[in-house]
């Protein structure tokens, strides 16, 4: 069971025990640290955060890499005085190493106990840049190999640049020297460039993600060429262009990417996989201007050549037309002369033929008139004879003449002519037509022609 601390009252036995002053306590701690760490030593850790004061001193918090995300993990306060930090930072810049959170470092220095605040600090005297350089080189080699294995290392270089490249997607920080140098070349060319800018950071912890996002955005915006420019800086300032995010964004772009990062040392990974890499933004802008100017001048030259050819063709055509016109006029006159003679000859022939045809027509007309004059008389004679024949024929069939010869015609009340006694009933009224009048009678009886007892009652 844990002991319970007690509080001694004045005059008790505990009040006679000796007590250390704060200075004595910190003195013992300081001596203990010096005995435990008599000289400088190497410590490895991950940079959780750092800041540089206005006086140039750098204050770094180091944690164990395996517990970097644990807020309760031990933190080593590392101090690099301005005189030392300026040399360390210059070496990092020269090597192209960006000192930032997340970087795992090896530092050499001594443990120091600061009595006024009771803080234990680590005073940095050296940073192992060789180890950092090896890690950076290894990471870069890994990235390049991965891109080669995936077939992405030279993918963007195989994309053809459109002619002319007028729609430019620009990824940069506006207002910087690199931006002004690049835009100045485009403006000086006098060509109608359409520049679409995505303003972004080009250094710092957030820069790789921002640059990659800008590339992806412009690649889908109908640009002819994407351009990354930056106006120089130390190697560590250019570390963004060695990151995997930026490299893969360039490799994945379906639009050619040009870089003008403004450095004269080794190329970045972005430079190596880009379609074209230029040392400065100025050279990048000059090349774009040159390509568009070449297309323009070529178009002008072709247009002038076409105009010259057109002029020559017009002259040749005019000459040919004049010759053709002369030949046509001469030929037309000759044809007209020949046809005029022919027409005169044909007119004479036609006049004779027409006169002969008119004479023949006159004679034919006289013959027809003679025939037509005699025709009505003969026609009337023929018709009169025909009428006489019809008259005699009708006389032979005349109804009255038959009555005059002794025949009679008997009809019933319906006016029907009776041709037989069949069907006549006693009492039937009959009307008999004779040559000189009519007789009405009534049927008494009927009998055949050989019956001598047939009698008919006559009525007037």
């Amino acid at each position: 069971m844990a002991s319970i601390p007690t509080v001694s009252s004045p005059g008790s036995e505990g009040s006679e025990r000796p007590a250390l002053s704060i200075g004595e306590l910190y003195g013992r701690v300081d001596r203990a640290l010096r005995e435990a760490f008599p000289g400088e030593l190497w410590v490895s850790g991950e940079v959780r955060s750092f800041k540089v004061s206005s006086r140039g001193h750098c204050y770094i918090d180091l944690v164990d890499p395996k517990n970097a995300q644990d807020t309760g993990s031990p933190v080593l306060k590392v101090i690099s005085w301005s005189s030392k930090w300026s040399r360390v930072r210059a070496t990092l810049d020269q090597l192209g190493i960006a000192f930032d959170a997340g970087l795992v470092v090896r530092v050499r220095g001594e443990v120091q106990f600061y009595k006024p605040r009771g803080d234990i600090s680590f005073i940095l005297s050296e940073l192992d840049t060789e180890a950092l350089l090896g890690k950076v080189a290894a990471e870069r080699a890994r990235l390049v190999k991965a891109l080669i294995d995936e077939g992405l290392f030279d993918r963007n270089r195989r994309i053809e640049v459109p002619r002319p490249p007028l729609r430019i997607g620009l990824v940069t920080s506006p207002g910087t020297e690199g931006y002004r140098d690049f835009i100045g070349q485009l403006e000086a060319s006098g060509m109608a460039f359409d520049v679409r800018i995505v303003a972004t950071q080009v250094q710092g912890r957030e820069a790789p993600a921002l640059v990659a996002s800008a590339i992806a955005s412009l690649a889908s915006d109908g640009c002819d060429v994407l351009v990354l420019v930056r106006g120089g800086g130390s190697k560590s300032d250019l570390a963004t262009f060695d990151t995997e995010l930026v490299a893969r964004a360039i490799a994945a772009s379906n639009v050619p990417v040009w870089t003008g990062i403004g450095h004269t040392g080794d190329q970045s990974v972005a430079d190596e996989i880009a379609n074209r890499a230029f040392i400065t933004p100025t050279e990048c802008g000059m090349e774009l201007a040159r390509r568009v100017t070449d297309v323009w001048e070529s178009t002008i030259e072709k247009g002038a050549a076409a105009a010259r050819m057109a002029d020559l063709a017009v002259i040749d055509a005019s000459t040919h037309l004049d010759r053709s016109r002369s030949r046509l006029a001469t030929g037309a006159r000759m044809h007209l002369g020949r046809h005029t003679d022919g027409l005169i000859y044909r007119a004479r022939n036609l006049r004779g033929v027409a006169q002969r045809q008119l004479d023949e027509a006159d004679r034919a007309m006289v013959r027809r008139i003679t025939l037509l004059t005699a025709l009505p008389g003969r026609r009337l004679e023929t018709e009169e004879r025909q009428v006489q024949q019809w008259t005699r024929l009708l006389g032979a069939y005349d109804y009255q003449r038959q009555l005059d010869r002794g025949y009679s015609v008997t009809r019933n009340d319906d006016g029907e002519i009776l041709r037989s006694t069949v069907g006549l009933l006693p009492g039937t009224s009959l009307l008999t037509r004779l040559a000189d009048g009519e007789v009405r009678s009534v049927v008494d009886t009927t009998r055949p022609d050989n019956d001598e007892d047939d009698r008919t009652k006559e009525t007037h």
Side-chain angles (χ1 to χ4, degrees), residues 92-336:
L92 292 174
D93 289 345
Q94 184 179 4
L95 296 176
I97 300 172
F99 190 85
D100 206 346
L103 186 67
V104 177
V105 297
R106 291 179 73 245
V107 293
R108 183 179 179 183
E110 63 178 5
V111 178
Q112 187 177 85
F113 182 66
Y114 186 55
K115 295 178 183 178
R117 285 200 301 267
D119 290 339
I120 297 177
S121 302
F122 189 86
I123 308 304
L124 184 146
S125 62
E126 182 182 354
L127 189 146
D128 190 355
T129 54
E130 292 185 1
L132 285 178
L133 189 61
K135 292 179 181 179
V136 171
E139 176 60 24
R140 174 170 173 160
R142 181 202 66 77
L143 175 57
V144 170
K145 183 177 184 304
L147 294 174
I148 292 174
D149 293 342
E150 296 173 26
L152 299 176
F153 188 76
D154 60 346
R155 179 182 180 275
N156 198 260
R157 286 201 297 269
R158 296 195 299 268
I159 301 175
E160 185 176 355
V161 177
R163 280 175 53 89
L166 286 171
R167 293 170 297 182
I168 310 301
L170 180 59
V171 180
T172 188
S173 178
T176 61
E177 182 179 355
Y179 167 81
R180 290 192 295 270
D181 291 345
F182 176 78
I183 293 296
Q185 293 300 318
L186 301 188
E187 293 176 346
S189 70
M191 298 292 106
F193 283 100
D194 176 16
V195 182
R196 305 169 188 182
I197 304 174
V198 174
T200 183
Q201 299 177 21
V202 291
Q203 69 181 69
R205 294 186 62 183
E206 306 298 328
L210 294 175
V211 171
S213 175
I215 293 172
S217 174
L218 289 172
S220 61
D221 196 28
C223 296
D224 296 327
V225 177
L226 304 186
V227 178
L228 276 68
V229 297
R230 176 194 166 91
S234 64
K235 285 189 176 182
S236 61
D237 291 337
L238 304 177
T240 296
F241 303 99
D242 278 324
T243 60
E244 186 166 359
L245 278 174
V246 174
R248 289 192 175 276
I250 295 174
S253 173
N254 292 321
V255 178
V257 179
W258 287 10
T259 59
I261 301 176
H263 58 79
T264 57
D266 295 333
Q267 286 188 323
S268 65
V269 176
D271 292 326
E272 292 186 29
I273 66 173
N275 185 273
R276 288 286 303 273
F278 299 88
I279 295 177
T280 63
T282 299
E283 290 186 3
C284 184
M286 289 175 61
E287 177 61 17
L288 283 172
R290 183 193 66 78
R291 291 200 177 200
V292 176
T293 302
D294 287 348
V295 173
W296 173 251
E297 291 177 351
S298 174
T299 303
I300 295 298
E301 290 177 0
K302 290 178 180 178
R308 290 192 296 272
M309 292 178 65
D311 289 340
L312 292 174
V314 169
I315 293 172
D316 290 343
S318 298
T319 303
H320 179 71
L321 183 60
D322 291 339
R323 289 197 297 266
S324 299
R325 186 184 298 111
S326 178
R327 287 196 299 270
L328 286 172
T330 303
R333 285 192 295 270
M334 293 175 62
H335 281 292
L336 284 173

Side-chain angles (χ1 to χ4, degrees), residues 406-423:
Y407 292 98
S408 64
V409 177
T410 302
R411 291 183 173 87
N412 58 20
D413 289 340
D414 295 331
E416 296 175 353
I417 297 175
L418 298 179
R419 291 180 174 84
S420 174
T421 61
V422 178

Side-chain angles (χ1 to χ4, degrees), residues 365-379:
M365 186 177 294
V366 171
R367 290 194 298 270
R368 290 188 178 91
I369 290 172
T370 301
L371 293 173
L372 289 173
T373 301
L375 183 61
R378 292 197 296 270
R379 184 67 178 175

Side-chain angles (χ1 to χ4, degrees), residues 34-100:
R34 291 181 180 277
E35 290 174 0
F37 308 105
E40 292 186 342
L41 68 154
W42 288 96
V43 176
S44 175
E46 180 178 322
V47 178
R48 171 176 284 180
S49 64
F50 76 99
K51 66 178 180 178
V52 180
S53 69
S54 58
R55 295 185 177 183
H57 307 313
C58 183
Y59 300 91
I60 307 168
D61 285 351
L62 288 185
V63 295
D64 289 329
K66 62 181 180 179
N67 300 322
Q69 305 302 321
D70 185 2
T71 56
S73 61
V75 178
L76 177 62
K77 302 290 185 179
V78 179
I79 301 174
S80 179
W81 305 121
S82 60
S83 58
K84 180 65 67 176
W85 178 248
S86 61
R87 292 194 295 270
V88 170
R89 187 57 187 262
T91 302
L92 292 174
D93 289 345
Q94 184 179 4
L95 296 176
I97 300 172
F99 190 85
D100 206 346

Side-chain angles (χ1 to χ4, degrees), residues 8 19 28-29 33 98 108 165 222 240 253 272 354 394 412 421 440 442:
S8 300
R28 290 189 181 186
V29 172
L33 288 173
R108 183 179 179 183
T240 296
S253 173
E272 292 186 29
L394 288 174
N412 58 20
T421 61
R440 183 172 294 281
V442 177

